[in-house]
Amino acid sequence: MKKIIFFLLVIGIIATGCSSDETSGETSHASEYPSTENTLDWTIAFGPGGGNDVMAREMIKILEKYDLYEGDIVPENREGGSGAVGWGHVHQNIGDPYQISTTSGSFITTPLQSDPGWDYSDFTHVALMATDDMFFMVSGDSGYETIDEFVDEAKNKTMNIGGIGVANVDRMIVETFGKEAGIDYEYVSFNAEGQLQSALMSGSLDAIVANPSGVIGQIESGEMNALAFSGLEPLADYPDIPTFIEEGYEVNISMPRGVILAGDVDEEVRQWWIDTMKEVAETDEWEEYIQKNYLSENILYGEDFTEYLEETSSTFNNILSDLGVLEE
Amino acid sequence: MEILDNLLLGLSVAVTPINLLFLIVGAFVGMIVGIIPGFGPTAGIAVLLSLTFSMDPITAVIMLAGIYYGSMYGGTITSILINTPGESATVASTFDGFPLAKRGRIGPALVMQAAASFIGGTIGVLLISGFAPAFANFAKSFGPPEFFLIITIGLLALIVVMGDNKVNGAISALLGLAVSLVGVDVITGAQRFTYGHPELINGIYFLPVAIGLFGLGELFYSIYKGTHKEERKQAVSFKDKETFWPNKREWSESKGTFARGSVLGFFVGMLPGAGATVASLLSYSLEKKVSKFSDKFGKGYMPGLVAPESANNAASAGAMIPLLTLGIPGSGATAVLLGAFLMWGLQPGPLMMENEPEFAWGLISSMYLGNVILILVNIFAIPLFIKIMQVPYKLMIPVILILCTIGTYSLHGSIVETWIMLAFGLIGLFMKLYNFSPAALVLALVLGPMAEDTLRQTLITSGGSLGIFVQRPISLILVLVIVFIVVLPAIKFLKDGRKKDSSKDISL
């Protein structure tokens, strides 16, 4: 009998072990930063398996492999409220040099949409490491070969264009493109990639915006066609898929993938991380990560990253206000 | 013959000592992960994913598939033992599983759930190996209108699981729908009932609600009634035929259920997003409809456990179809698997089975092996689980309380969700006292938002016209099924209505 209770307790301990909430210890002076006595608390503001999670874990792997960070690093998934919970946690520990996190599009859009108590300017900006850009996809049997053909057809009928979420990068790409091309469209928002893609294949939608890594297989089999890419440069592996800008539509909206620390940390700490991320960016592993996940390499450090965030935030604010999806 | 060649190729890849070892490890870890309330296959795979990067992709995916399958087996064990479903797909397994355990048929119930899982899983894999490419076209024809109709059928099936008091059942389901409204509206982005709390932006997750209503509700109820002081039933062992193995009647009653549940589950599981929950629910209500003893359901009737179990395991096999043939993830767990494919440098999509036959067929053959290993592990582990039932309930109470709390907290590390679970524990007590249906609440909470999103997506694409539901062929068939389900009992009711005033049909 005792054994059974013991067994259940063991199961319980296994369960807690997977989400142990270790604090990073007290704040110490940056003179000996990073001190191995403090654990680096790496907040991942989304669930396991997503783009943000994969990037954070890849960075931690590189930091550990090359001994770039000597202390312990504990990655922690603090999901909820489209990043409100996770980045809120980092924000609460203002001034603590052992609080770090990775950004996504929601880092900018969530504070625009709701009031989580912080916005991008409340953090210490280390580096933008890459941007995530999207393909504009139609189904293979739709007959559209170029984005211009799609725009021509859109003059005759209202196009249904799908994406993930309401007030995020997908939506803004569709909106900016719709305005540039002067077409009538309905944006249909989905929660999950699987349903979005099958809606396109079933003929319910005329087009979708999708992350390249999720649709490469469909492009190669001819099941879907990519008409345009939202980055500044075409993807290295897919030079034939033109950017919106090459096709004459000013659409360049990307998801910033960068590294931030809690607000108000010492300048030396920020400089330490800038130097460290420069080393990360030069590793073969990072190169491979960028390529495998079809990200656009776009590196900006310190002040440049801050400026980028300012610009992006004001662009996003303008587009989303025009759409009326912000509650003011 | 090509199928046989493919399977042989797959087996030759899958059957190496290392792969078998990792398959067993995966199956075992999966079972344990499944047993912990709130810790389902998605989290299990995601957490262990990082361990697999240095492995050979085939070994890695075989282990992850083992976890996926193992957790489907393990998820039911808590449904039967302590009336606490570990995930939405095993809510329906509590309906008859827990009453069976209470009646002392715990051994047979666990054997039958293992058998149902095995048969469901195996029929699912047989269908994958035989017809995967053909099914790909079927999965491809599902857009928002079809999803909405399938989910509507799922919601209609709630009437069957509500129990005898249909009015209270309907109120329970409406409560579930009300709770499901909390959070961001996926179409407009407006926040509903969040009162400025960031924790509520993504809505109220169903698992804390389910763990509270079922696990804690049952516990509070037994304290309230004083049943926790009662002595437990006699021990059972392997050798004791009567109390360990299901008897002949239980087998023969469940024969048809195995087959129907598996096939139905497979087809529903194939649809991205609908998945195992809808499958288990539909299978349960189908059985209750076709059974001659429909009044025995809910009181510890074996087919009532076999139906959802064979269906949810077949559904988890079905969910592999869009993943392997279209590169589309059909469920949370397969979405994580898809991410893993990418990390290993595989390109999921319609060409994967052609370009990477060793990988695809290795994975499929490992599913056959996984099912065999899991049924063995399960049957040998049953005496251990039965022993838990011998522990006096008053000693189990603190353990269950700790398990439920830890399980809920470990979901997202959220203390708010832990409070939500506790609150629903109290609500669960009152629902039990006044004959409401916690199952209808939880399932409405899961299905409600899916129904809302898909209906609104459909109407946006059709410009507001309902005609879209009859213009698409599969959608038209589903509309006819719904008409059949709703109209037939209504006609019957009008015919017999004069004779007896039955409260049963009114809610239809």
Side-chain angles (χ1 to χ4, degrees):
Chain A
M1 189 163 83
K2 273 182 191 149
K3 261 193 230 159
I4 304 305
I5 294 173
F6 178 72
F7 171 74
L8 286 173
L9 279 176
V10 168
I11 293 179
I13 290 162
I14 297 171
T16 35
C18 301
S19 72
S20 59
D21 193 7
E22 283 174 47
T23 49
S24 54
E26 65 223 44
T27 314
S28 66
H29 276 286
S31 50
E32 73 264 24
Y33 191 87
S35 146
T36 46
E37 277 165 33
N38 292 313
T39 307
L40 183 67
D41 181 356
W42 197 305
T43 295
I44 301 165
F46 297 88
N52 195 298
D53 184 65
V54 172
M55 174 169 79
R57 288 178 196 274
E58 183 67 35
M59 281 181 178
I60 293 167
K61 213 170 81 183
I62 294 172
L63 289 171
E64 283 173 348
K65 183 173 174 191
Y66 291 93
D67 290 324
L68 296 174
Y69 187 92
E70 285 182 3
D72 290 329
I73 305 177
V74 177
E76 194 80 59
N77 293 91
R78 297 188 173 96
E79 56 183 302
S82 301
V85 173
W87 291 312
H89 171 87
V90 180
H91 182 239
Q92 275 162 15
N93 291 286
I94 222 158
D96 180 349
Y98 296 95
Q99 294 286 339
I100 193 167
S101 184
T102 27
T103 67
S104 302
S106 311
F107 183 60
I108 294 172
T109 52
T110 298
L112 290 177
Q113 256 184 295
S114 60
D115 182 18
W118 52 263
D119 67 24
Y120 73 93
S121 63
D122 293 321
F123 297 87
T124 305
H125 308 134
V126 175
L128 177 70
M129 300 293 284
T131 55
D132 223 338
D133 297 297
M134 303 284 196
F135 275 152
F136 188 83
M137 311 286 304
V138 293
S139 89
D141 49 27
S142 66
Y144 304 122
E145 295 292 331
T146 66
I147 193 87
D148 285 331
E149 286 175 27
F150 183 85
V151 170
D152 282 342
E153 183 63 26
K155 304 228 155 100
N156 306 324
K157 68 171 202 173
T158 305
M159 290 293 189
N160 292 313
I161 307 177
I164 304 285
V166 188
N168 63 2
V169 172
D170 291 26
R171 175 74 183 274
M172 288 186 275
I173 290 173
V174 175
E175 170 65 11
T176 319
F177 165 65
K179 266 201 178 144
E180 283 281 315
I183 57 170
D184 266 345
Y185 74 92
E186 286 287 351
Y187 177 79
V188 190
S189 97
F190 285 74
N191 272 325
E193 190 70 29
Q195 287 175 32
L196 175 66
Q197 288 187 29
S198 60
L200 178 69
M201 289 190 184
S202 78
S204 287
L205 298 174
D206 298 300
I208 61 172
V209 281
N211 215 297
S213 57
V215 289
I216 292 296
Q218 283 79 343
I219 295 174
E220 282 178 357
S221 70
E223 203 76 59
M224 293 184 193
N225 261 345
L227 300 184
F229 180 61
S230 71
L232 282 175
E233 303 274 329
L235 276 178
D237 289 358
Y238 294 88
D240 297 341
I241 300 170
T243 65
F244 277 107
I245 296 172
E246 285 171 344
E247 295 287 286
Y249 308 97
E250 272 305 312
V251 182
N252 173 235
I253 295 188
S254 330
M255 210 183 261
R257 297 239 176 249
V259 177
I260 52 160
L261 300 167
D264 279 343
V265 301
D266 291 341
E267 183 53 35
E268 290 148 69
V269 173
R270 172 157 90 151
Q271 199 52 50
W272 189 91
W273 275 106
I274 290 177
D275 296 339
T276 306
M277 293 320 289
K278 282 182 180 163
E279 291 188 54
V280 169
E282 272 166 26
T283 59
D284 293 343
E285 281 84 356
W286 184 254
E287 194 64 31
E288 201 190 321
Y289 161 78
I290 295 276
Q291 218 188 346
K292 261 192 186 173
N293 291 280
Y294 303 99
L295 300 176
S296 306
E297 188 136 48
N298 189 353
I299 300 183
L300 298 169
Y301 296 107
E303 291 305 317
D304 294 335
F305 182 30
T306 305
E307 244 172 67
Y308 174 90
L309 287 172
E310 277 166 12
E311 269 173 41
T312 311
S313 179
S314 85
T315 316
F316 284 13
N317 195 10
N318 290 341
I319 302 175
L320 294 175
S321 308
D322 287 349
L323 278 169
V325 292
L326 298 184
E327 286 179 44
E328 290 303 342
Chain B
M1 276 308 99
E2 200 196 334
I3 293 163
L4 263 175
D5 286 348
N6 284 333
L7 269 180
L8 282 178
L9 168 73
L11 280 172
S12 71
V13 176
V15 184
T16 68
I18 294 284
N19 287 353
L20 282 179
L21 177 72
F22 277 103
L23 182 59
I24 294 171
V25 170
F28 208 77
V29 169
M31 248 183 75
I32 296 190
V33 159
I35 290 169
I36 304 169
F39 209 66
T42 314
I45 295 176
V47 167
L48 292 169
L49 191 57
S50 54
L51 294 180
T52 64
F53 290 152
S54 49
M55 289 182 191
D56 174 57
I58 293 176
T59 311
V61 79
I62 284 176
M63 184 175 95
L64 293 181
I67 296 174
Y68 180 51
Y69 267 49
S71 66
M72 295 303 295
Y73 277 74
T76 324
I77 291 170
T78 48
S79 291
I80 297 173
L81 288 182
I82 56 175
N83 197 25
T84 306
E87 49 188 316
S88 57
T90 56
V91 170
S93 309
T94 61
F95 301 159
D96 281 278
F98 187 61
L100 275 166
K102 265 184 157 170
R103 267 181 39 208
R105 299 297 289 161
I106 176 102
L110 289 169
V111 173
M112 280 302 245
Q113 83 90 7
S117 299
F118 175 76
I119 292 172
T122 305
I123 290 182
V125 186
L126 280 170
L127 289 170
I128 292 183
S129 20
F131 311 99
F135 288 142
N137 286 325
F138 175 71
K140 233 166 53 179
S141 54
F142 271 71
E146 289 81 12
F147 282 119
F148 172 70
L149 294 170
I150 280 278
I151 293 159
T152 305
I153 295 176
L155 282 168
L156 285 173
L158 280 180
I159 288 176
V160 177
V161 309
M162 273 171 192
D164 295 332
N165 192 330
K166 297 293 175 196
V167 175
N168 283 2
I171 292 173
S172 312
L174 288 173
L175 266 175
L177 291 178
V179 173
S180 81
L181 289 176
V182 176
V184 165
D185 167 5
V186 70
I187 306 294
T188 66
Q191 290 185 32
R192 300 190 294 209
F193 309 111
T194 58
Y195 303 103
H197 290 291
E199 288 88 355
L200 295 178
I201 290 180
N202 286 357
I204 294 182
Y205 191 43
F206 76 91
L207 264 176
V209 175
I211 295 173
L213 283 180
F214 287 93
L216 288 190
E218 181 66 33
L219 191 145
F220 292 153
Y221 183 73
S222 70
I223 295 175
Y224 178 83
K225 286 277 176 193
T227 48
H228 64 292
K229 292 183 197 141
E230 285 169 13
E231 285 300 315
R232 287 301 185 95
K233 295 242 164 55
Q234 272 299 303
V236 273
S237 74
F238 260 132
K239 287 165 200 133
D240 190 351
K241 269 195 171 165
E242 268 300 289
T243 50
F244 186 84
W245 299 105
N247 56 33
K248 268 197 186 129
R249 213 192 62 227
E250 283 167 331
W251 279 112
S252 67
E253 278 170 348
S254 310
K255 254 187 323 200
T257 313
F258 280 119
R260 283 189 293 269
S262 305
V263 174
L264 179 73
F266 181 80
F267 277 95
V268 178
M270 231 177 351
L271 314 175
T277 309
V278 179
S280 61
L281 191 57
L282 288 184
S283 170
Y284 185 85
S285 49
L286 175 74
E287 280 315 307
K288 198 173 168 182
K289 279 271 174 261
V290 300
S291 170
K292 281 177 214 142
F293 308 102
S294 60
D295 53 327
K296 282 194 186 173
F297 279 82
K299 297 177 184 117
Y301 186 49
M302 202 52 94
L305 174 65
V306 168
E309 270 313 294
S310 50
N312 66 26
N313 277 63
S316 67
M320 287 288 189
I321 292 266
L323 181 70
L324 288 173
T325 59
L326 298 170
I328 291 178
S331 63
T334 48
V336 180
L337 273 183
L338 181 88
F341 288 1
L342 291 170
M343 274 181 239
W344 295 318
L346 292 158
Q347 188 52 69
L351 295 180
M352 195 174 82
M353 291 184 86
E354 256 170 67
N355 292 347
E356 309 275 352
E358 296 192 350
F359 179 82
W361 287 97
L363 174 62
I364 292 170
S365 343
S366 80
M367 293 183 204
Y368 284 99
L369 298 174
N371 271 306
V372 174
I373 288 169
L374 276 161
I375 191 167
L376 293 177
V377 169
N378 257 271
I379 294 205
F380 281 108
I382 286 172
L384 183 72
F385 295 124
I386 292 176
K387 280 218 172 107
I388 296 172
M389 290 299 279
Q390 290 169 253
V391 178
Y393 197 67
K394 59 186 175 197
L395 294 182
M396 288 288 289
I397 286 175
V399 180
I400 294 176
L401 202 59
I402 291 171
L403 260 182
C404 290
T405 312
I406 289 173
T408 308
Y409 184 75
S410 69
L411 281 175
H412 305 122
S414 157
I415 201 74
V416 176
E417 292 195 334
T418 316
W419 285 115
I420 289 175
M421 177 209 63
L422 200 62
F424 274 94
L426 289 173
I427 295 173
L429 167 67
F430 286 103
M431 290 185 87
K432 250 185 120 69
L433 282 177
Y434 296 105
N435 216 358
F436 284 83
S437 167
L441 194 162
V442 169
L443 293 168
L445 174 59
V446 174
L447 298 177
M450 291 158 94
E452 184 196 331
D453 294 349
T454 49
L455 175 63
R456 292 172 68 185
Q457 285 159 356
T458 306
L459 293 180
I460 291 175
T461 58
S462 73
S465 152
L466 288 170
I468 191 168
F469 287 113
V470 289
Q471 282 158 5
R472 297 162 61 103
I474 294 194
S475 166
L476 179 63
I477 295 171
L478 291 170
V479 168
L480 294 175
V481 170
I482 291 176
V483 169
F484 183 73
I485 294 176
V486 175
V487 170
L488 213 65
I491 293 173
K492 211 175 141 205
F493 171 68
L494 286 177
K495 264 192 188 164
D496 313 340
R498 302 273 138 79
K499 286 177 221 159
K500 51 176 189 213
D501 182 32
S502 114
S503 64
K504 238 182 186 171
D505 295 333
I506 287 175
S507 57
L508 275 178

